[in-house]
Each structure stands twice: as C-alpha cells, then as structure tokens.
Amino acid sequence: MGSYPFKLLFQRNKLFAKILMYFLSLLIPIMIIGLIVYVNVDQVVKRDVSQKLTDNLKFSSQTVDIYLRMAQSTNNSLFSSPIIEQNVKPFGQLTNEEKVNLQLIVRALAGNRNTSSSFIDHIFMYTDAIKVYTSQEMADFDLFFDKFYRMDSYSKDFWKQKLQSTQLFELLLPTKVHSYIDSDITRLVIPSVSTQFVNGNLVTMVTSLSLPAIAASLQNNAIFSSSKYLILNKNHQVILNDSGYTEPTLQQLSQQMQEAVSTLFMEVAGQESLVVHVHSDAFGWDYYSITPTEAFGKEPDSILSLVFWICITLMIIGVCFSFIFSINLYNPIKNIRNILVQSEQEMNFTNEIRSNDEMQVIGSRIDQLIQQNRDAVLKVNQYSNGMLDQFFAGLFRGQPWAQQESLSQILDDIGFQADSYLCCCFMFQYKERFFRDIGEEDRLLIQGKMKKVLWGIMEQHVHCYLMEYEQNFYVSIINLKQGEDNERRELALALEQIKLTFEYDMIYCELIIGLGKTYTQVGDIAKSYSDAITAMDQSKDSSDMAIADAVGLTIEQNYYYSFLDEKKIVNGLKAGNVEVLETEVESLIQANKSRGVSYSYLGALLVELWNTGIRYTNERQLDIHILLTEEEYAVLANKNITPNEFNDRVRLLIHFYERIVAETATKGERRTGTVISFITSYIESNYEKDIYLENIANEIGLSAKYVSRMFKETTGTSITDYISLIRMAKAKELLTETDLKINEIADRIGMNSRTTFLRMFKKHEGISPIDYRNINTRQ
C-alpha cells in the first residue's frame, strides 16, 4: 500500500480518508482559539490593569480622606476639650494664676498630634495676635510666624484675619514652611483651619498636613513603581503634582476626565499612559494616577508569543497523532468487516460485500444482529434495578402497579413468584461517636456499602429483594418458596449472621430489625411491611441491636379519629391555644398506639389531622401557600411514613397548626418588629452555619414565602443579602486580625466553598481577600 500514490490510497480506502479528516478537523478549534486569544489578549490585559489601578486609586484616595477627616476631627476634639475651654483666653485677659495653666494647652495639642504623627506636620492655635500655642511650646505670635513656622503663601497678617470670622473647617492650598528650629528645613504642608468661639472669644486652630506623607502613602500603595499621582481640589487647583506636569497638561487631564470614576489611555507629557481618575465626595478632591503603558506592556507580548508557539506545537502534534489514530482505528474496523462478511449464517449479505464503504457493510450486519436480540434487550431493560425498586416500593406502600403487565407476570419474569411473602426492615441509627471518630469519606463509603452487605448475607439463606427505602432504612421482601417453617428458620440464621457481622460495630450505631407477618397474597406485602415497622415502634428492647417480630402482636388495620376528636382540634385552632393542640394530637397518637393500630394507619391518622387543618383554613379563606411550602405540603399529604420520620412529621403538623393560629390571631399578637429583630439576631449568631431562608422560617414557625416578603418590605433588603453582609464583615475582621488561611476563613463564616467566598468578597469589596489583607497589613 505504501507504493501507491496518496490519491489512489484514499480512493481505495474512503473510510480511512474520512477518519483522518475527522481527526484533522479537531485542529480547527485550536486555530480559532489561538487567533481569538492573539487578537484579544492585549485588550484583556489592559482592561484587567485598568480595573486594578482603579481599585488601587480608590483605596489610596480613601486612605487620604481618612487622614483629612482625622485632621478635621482633631480640630473639633480640641475645641471641645475641657482643657481648651477652661484655659484659652486672650493673653491680656489672663491672670497670673491662669497663666500657670497655659502649659496644659501645649500638652493637649501634643497629645492630639501623636494620634497620627506621620501625616500631621504641626498643630497650633491662637486667640489673639500675642501668643501662639503649639504642640511643643507657647510662642510669641510675630516670632512664630516670622521664624519658627514661616509659610511662604500665608503671612502673619493672613493669620490675624482668620480671627475675624468663624469657619468650621477649611483646607488651604499647599505651601512651603520654613522652620528655624529644624535648621531652616523647608517642608510642604496643607494647612487645615478651623475658627470657633471659645469662652466668647474666636479661637483659630490649624493642623498642617505633611504633603510628602500624602504622596508617600499614594506611592507606597502603587501597583507599578512608575505610576505618578496628581491631586486637584474642587476649584481645579493643584494640591499634589509630584511629576511637575505643566499647566497645559493639567488642563488636558481635567477636560478629558469628566466622570467621577473613569480610565483613559492618552498621551501625557509625550508618553502613552493609562490615566485613572477618582473623585472624592468627602472634600471634593480629584485624584489622578498616570501610569506609562510600558510598565505593563511587556506582559501582552509575552502572552502572545506563548500562545503562538503553543498553537504551532499543538498543530504539529495534532497532525502526527491524527495519522496514528486513523491507522489504528481503521485496521480494527476493516477486520470487523471481514469477520462479519465471512459469517456462514448470513446468506443474504452478498450485496453489502461488494460495497467499498466498510462502515455501510458493518452497519447493515449489526442492524441484523440488533434485530435478532431486540426482544431480549427490551425485556431486560424493563426490569432494571431502578424499575425493580419502584415496583417493590409500590408493593409495600400499597400502591398498584401502573404498567400494563400484571403482578403475576412481572414476578414470573424476575423469578420471584411464591406461595407467601413477608417483609423484614432494618433501621440504623448512628451515634455521635460515628461522626466524631470516622472521617467523612469513610462514613460515606460505609453507608454506601451497607445495602450490599445486608443483601449478601440475606441471599445466603433466603430468596429476597432488598432496597434502601430511605437513608439508613432498608426494606427486604422475602420470597417463601420452601414453606413458611423452613424459610423462617433460614431467616433466623440470616439475622443471626447479621448480628455477628455488626456485633463489634454497635459502639458506632444502633440496629433495630422489624419482621412482619406472613401473607399469601402478593398484594398483602403492604400489610407485612406495616406489621414490621409497627413491631419496631412497639418494641421494648432497648439494646443496641434488637429484633422486633410482629408475630404474636395484635395489630389493628384502621385508625380511630372520631367527630368529637376533630371538634377538639378545631376548637383548639379557634382558641389559638397551641399547647391544647399539642396535647390533643399527642393524646390521639397514644390512644391509637395503645389499641395496636398499625404504623401505616398512624401515618393515615396524621394525614387526617392535616386534612382537618386544611378544612379549617378553607373556612377562614386563608392562603395555604403562605402557611406551607410545596415540600411541606407533599410531606403532610403522604400517609406512607417510616419510623425515623414519625416524630418529624408530628412536629411539622404542630408547626402547621401554629402558623394557622398565627395567621388567624389579632395583629397585636405578633409584631413585625419583633420578628425582624429575631431574624437579624439569629443571622448574627449563626452566620458560621449553613443557614438559609427555610432554616429561619422553621425557627420562627412561619412559611418561608411570608418571612421573605415581610423582611424585604421592612428592611429593604433580602435575607440572603443580609447574610452575605454579615459574613463579609466577619471575613474582613479575620483577614486583618488573624493569620488564618482563606479556606479556613471561608469555613468560619459558613461558606464551605473557597471559590464562592472569593467571588462574593470581590463583589462586595472590589479586591481579592489576599489583596485586602496585604493592604491593611501594610497600612
């Protein structure tokens, strides 16, 4: 074949050509993806960098605003200080005794400066043109402004005029300060001025903020070291210009960046840059960060180069593997064709043999084989494990089989026809030690294998079908083919083997086994199942492993619920007395149990009690959807019940009555504010757990739909959003105050998924948890 030209090779082997083309077509997505990435990666990187720089500038501007507010609060706190109020007066009005206490003013100023000394350059105050009080000493007014703290932009006459009018807080433009005390060192500061009346006299308080400290704060938080920062006040006057941009450049930035928060790629001072603008509502300042594109421009180039070579490599490898896979796949198909064609049993296959399309030949032959086995396959599919579980579950629930086949036909098909039947139930109740000592994966493995273990032991002695009806509750239908006495002995041996098997596991769980009575009709399997769970309920054996046999028990196949009993329930609902309702329901259940009523009819009794509540709500024209969820409605309407859910069903019935009472009571008996207070307290106390709307509704005793609507109308937010707010607040506290890992923090706030926690934190805070921790740690 190798000597033939490729064209002749493909004509003689069309299937091979098709397979090869199919494999080669898989390379098309690689080419498309590579092209898309190549075209869009630059935009993706720029968009990502823009978002990061925007978030960074927002954080930095908020940090500066915090210190500006701190300066304002420093002035206000000093004005309200008892020391200032008691001792600050014009110097000429002070007595000798009062002059002794002037040092207290200096100490008060020094104490307030220490709270944020890195940003505050100096604090001083004065109430006349004679003396100035600073955080270090009391100085002469003229000497202070001429030598000690001389400002280029503001003369001492300017500061005298500040005593003429009150102004709560004012940020002046930056100015140079010359200090004679510090060897005439020149510094840049932003004076913040407040003038208020103290003891009937105007007092001016000045807190000068260090402009280099503000610039250093912005630069230290920068993502790129080449980023430059610019700050303008609300009058577009320059506050910070550490790069010395010219006036035309400043006007260009101001005109093109109009929105409160925006990003723009533009040329700044002859260099292509990314400009980010953030407006601060606190003091009306506009913050700009200017980052040259070359700072992050190398990243797209490296990604583009990597994507290009990856695509080329994948294409080469893909072509090679396409030829290898095509040859390896074609040869077995050709061999299969030859085997099928040569079958001696198929004489009418001559026409397909002449075809050059191997797949057509194989397809025709396989169609014939499929047709021969179709009936057998259909019959096997009808009785798959899932359908058998459904079939037997219908038998012990007393629900007729809805399919066309008769019960007898189905039992014959699966080989389960017998003279009599009985049910055997197994219920495991795991102890706390099981969940404490055994890991989650091992627990799931044990519970997943339990059905196979039980069935394997039972099958060694009796013919049965075992299914897991509910978690940790198994039902076995036993086929008594060899006579009841013999089968009973074999069943006893099987149960004894089960006891020996689980003997050493009783430290982790309890096992109760229920045996029903024997019935000859297959339709009576439901009675045997009811007998078994009734025997389990009435068993007085308190050991870790008990066998409860219904033989010898008198079991009533009906429940007792008179008109007088129903009247008592209705009267309790009308009176709104939940305690009376609980007593009546418990009394009815105990009365039926004492009469030996079967467990299935106890379930029917609970349904009838539920129907009484439904009829009462219809009479009162209440919306049943407010009182019950669809899931709760389905549970209460179902008469089939297992032993481990009986008490839960009773509690759900009582909750239903409570909700009826709550809806029919007067409005004064349940105030919305109390309910909302309970919801918020419950969330703040249980945020670390897996809580959701239904949990909270169950705790209150109201429907989830009603609770959700009331909370939304009262607070303006949903319960889910409120839970997220509480969890994010706790997460930020743990990030800044502990060294816990991200997944540990997620577990502590009730979010078991690390991915969900990262997404929610980014949504609420605008940055990742790691960035939030790093920023706050650096701060």
Side-chain angles (χ1 to χ4, degrees), residues 439-500:
E440 181 178 357
E441 293 184 1
D442 293 333
R443 293 200 305 269
L444 295 176
L445 180 63
I446 292 171
Q447 292 172 324
K449 297 291 185 182
M450 193 63 69
K451 175 183 175 180
K452 184 179 294 186
V453 173
L454 291 174
W455 202 346
I457 296 174
M458 295 288 288
E459 279 287 342
Q460 295 176 11
H461 300 275
V462 294
H463 187 209
C464 66
Y465 185 86
L466 187 141
M467 62 177 294
E468 185 176 6
Y469 181 48
E470 286 190 349
Q471 187 176 9
N472 306 326
F473 183 68
Y474 306 87
V475 180
S476 176
I477 302 176
I478 300 172
N479 180 321
L480 303 178
K481 285 186 175 181
Q482 303 177 3
E484 182 177 354
D485 293 338
N486 291 334
E487 293 288 350
R488 278 278 183 177
R489 285 194 294 271
E490 291 296 322
L491 177 59
L493 292 176
L495 297 182
E496 186 63 28
Q497 183 65 34
I498 290 174
K499 291 179 68 174
L500 292 175

Side-chain angles (χ1 to χ4, degrees), residues 487-542:
E487 293 288 350
R488 278 278 183 177
R489 285 194 294 271
E490 291 296 322
L491 177 59
L493 292 176
L495 297 182
E496 186 63 28
Q497 183 65 34
I498 290 174
K499 291 179 68 174
L500 292 175
T501 302
F502 293 101
E503 180 179 2
Y504 297 103
D505 298 321
M506 290 300 101
I507 60 174
Y508 295 113
C509 66
E510 297 177 358
L511 171 61
I512 180 170
I513 304 172
L515 293 176
K517 296 180 181 180
T518 304
Y519 293 90
T520 57
Q521 299 295 324
V522 67
D524 291 333
I525 288 178
K527 293 182 180 179
S528 183
Y529 167 75
S530 178
D531 295 341
I533 59 176
T534 302
M536 294 168 68
D537 182 57
Q538 296 183 7
S539 174
K540 295 181 172 52
D541 190 344
S542 59

Side-chain angles (χ1 to χ4, degrees), residues 70-113:
M70 188 179 297
Q72 183 179 9
S73 63
T74 298
N75 292 353
N76 293 336
S77 63
L78 283 171
F79 277 121
S80 60
S81 170
I83 294 176
I84 300 300
E85 292 180 348
Q86 295 173 7
N87 297 286
V88 173
K89 294 180 182 179
F91 192 77
Q93 299 177 11
L94 293 174
T95 64
N96 291 332
E97 294 178 353
E98 290 175 333
K99 291 180 180 179
V100 174
N101 296 327
L102 294 180
Q103 194 63 28
L104 297 175
I105 301 175
V106 175
R107 293 177 184 176
L109 295 175
N112 276 273
R113 177 181 178 179

